[in-house]
Amino acid sequence: MLLSGKTAVIYGAGGSLGGAIAQAFAREGAFVHLTGRNAASVSQTAEAIRKAGHQCHTAVVDALDAGAIGRHLEEVGKVDISFNAIGWEDRQDQSLTDMSVEDFLRPVRRAMETEFLTGTAAARVMMRQGSGVILTLTATPGGIGYPHVGGFGPACCAVESLTRNLASEVGAHGVRVVNIRSGGSPDSKVFREALENGGDEVKGFLDKLEADTMLKQMPMMEDIAQAAVFLASDHARKITGITLDVTCGTTSALNYMVPRVPFLANQPQ
């Protein structure tokens, strides 16, 4: 197993993607420490892991509280993998010109604070060990201009920059820092609930997202989880300071299905 003998700490383990990645780490042999502010949702992830025959531990930890983060890491001891998947409380579906400054700044503040606190806390532990991997998470707006995402897009860009800068400081101590840029996963809770409540309008939106990818399909949560497993493993031991794009090509180019360019069709050769 790729992560046999590793110890992983997951922040936001009760969420869809945090839970999926925690389960993938456990399947690959890691002992997983599941944390979050909501004990009930974290317990659901723990139950799924234990039911599959794997080991984990749960704790209520606020990933915006430096003291709580530090105390938990002291209890954990050895930390090989740290992954932060907490929500940023972003406001979307509104133009920037109509948005309040508080709605705009909230996800930027929240993303920067939690990634800084958990990332640097893990880095201090890992630097003493001489090894470890810190994983961060962003989304498509981190790599391409995207309308109506409010402060979420700038927050993604800020996290990707923080990842590079932290990696440049801790690399000499044997610690890697890598970001995963995810596309929206149709099987995640937010998309499932939107489909249940939004009907054809939401389906049309998802169809548009698929059309914008190069592969004409969106990444599922398991795709993101497997990317995280690889990056956390020794197979990726020389990869640090970068963003791995798992958006099925969306951030590389617009990929609408255009059969031809009409105004070039009859040009002389």
Side-chain angles (χ1 to χ4, degrees):
M1 293 184 285
L2 290 180
L3 304 180
S4 180
K6 305 285 188 182
T7 299
V9 177
I10 313 292
Y11 300 96
S16 283
L17 195 49
I21 289 176
Q23 291 178 63
F25 285 171
R27 285 197 305 269
E28 290 294 338
F31 186 98
V32 185
H33 290 266
L34 311 171
T35 79
R37 291 191 301 180
N38 187 325
S41 60
V42 172
S43 294
Q44 289 179 348
T45 301
E47 183 179 352
I49 289 174
R50 290 168 181 150
K51 188 175 180 179
H54 309 301
Q55 294 183 314
C56 65
H57 184 269
T58 65
V60 175
V61 177
D62 184 350
L64 291 160
D65 183 333
I69 295 165
R71 288 189 294 273
H72 179 252
L73 292 184
E74 285 182 7
E75 294 174 4
V76 171
K78 177 173 175 280
V79 180
D80 299 299
I81 305 161
S82 175
F83 177 70
N84 189 327
I86 78 164
W88 295 348
E89 297 183 353
D90 44 291
R91 169 74 185 273
Q92 299 195 33
D93 198 26
Q94 186 178 35
S95 68
L96 290 170
T97 53
D98 294 328
M99 181 169 285
S100 72
V101 66
E102 179 53 36
D103 281 343
F104 174 76
L105 288 177
R106 184 173 53 254
V108 179
R109 290 195 196 103
R110 187 175 172 88
M112 283 287 90
E113 187 172 358
T114 188
E115 294 292 356
F116 175 82
L117 290 176
T118 60
T120 55
R124 286 188 286 272
V125 175
M126 293 174 179
M127 288 165 70
R128 292 194 295 269
Q129 297 171 173
S131 65
V133 183
I134 300 165
L135 297 178
T136 58
L137 179 70
T138 59
T140 305
I144 192 170
Y146 217 99
H148 301 145
V149 295
F152 181 70
C156 288
C157 294
V159 169
E160 294 183 10
S161 177
L162 173 62
T163 298
R164 293 191 296 270
N165 293 345
L166 182 58
S168 72
E169 294 186 5
V170 301
H173 300 275
V175 181
R176 298 189 292 114
V177 191
V178 190
N179 179 66
I180 301 170
R181 185 190 294 149
S182 166
S185 298
D187 58 338
S188 65
K189 181 180 179 182
V190 63
F191 278 95
R192 291 198 313 268
E193 291 181 347
L195 278 169
E196 291 171 1
N197 300 321
D200 291 341
E201 183 179 6
V202 174
K203 186 179 183 305
F205 172 72
L206 287 176
D207 289 343
K208 173 67 166 55
L209 290 181
E210 283 192 347
D212 285 348
T213 70
M214 290 182 176
L215 299 178
K216 305 308 169 194
Q217 54 184 305
M218 298 298 294
M220 306 301 277
M221 288 195 298
E222 184 63 16
D223 297 314
I224 309 303
Q226 288 305 314
V229 166
F230 166 70
L231 291 173
S233 77
D234 290 341
H235 286 316
R237 61 185 176 275
K238 302 300 183 182
I239 297 176
T240 192
I242 59 98
T243 287
L244 180 69
D245 191 292
V246 196
T247 68
C248 295
T250 303
T251 58
S252 295
L254 292 177
N255 288 283
Y256 300 105
M257 294 295 290
V258 180
R260 62 189 181 88
V261 183
F263 61 82
L264 295 179
N266 298 315
Q267 293 295 313
Q269 300 299 314

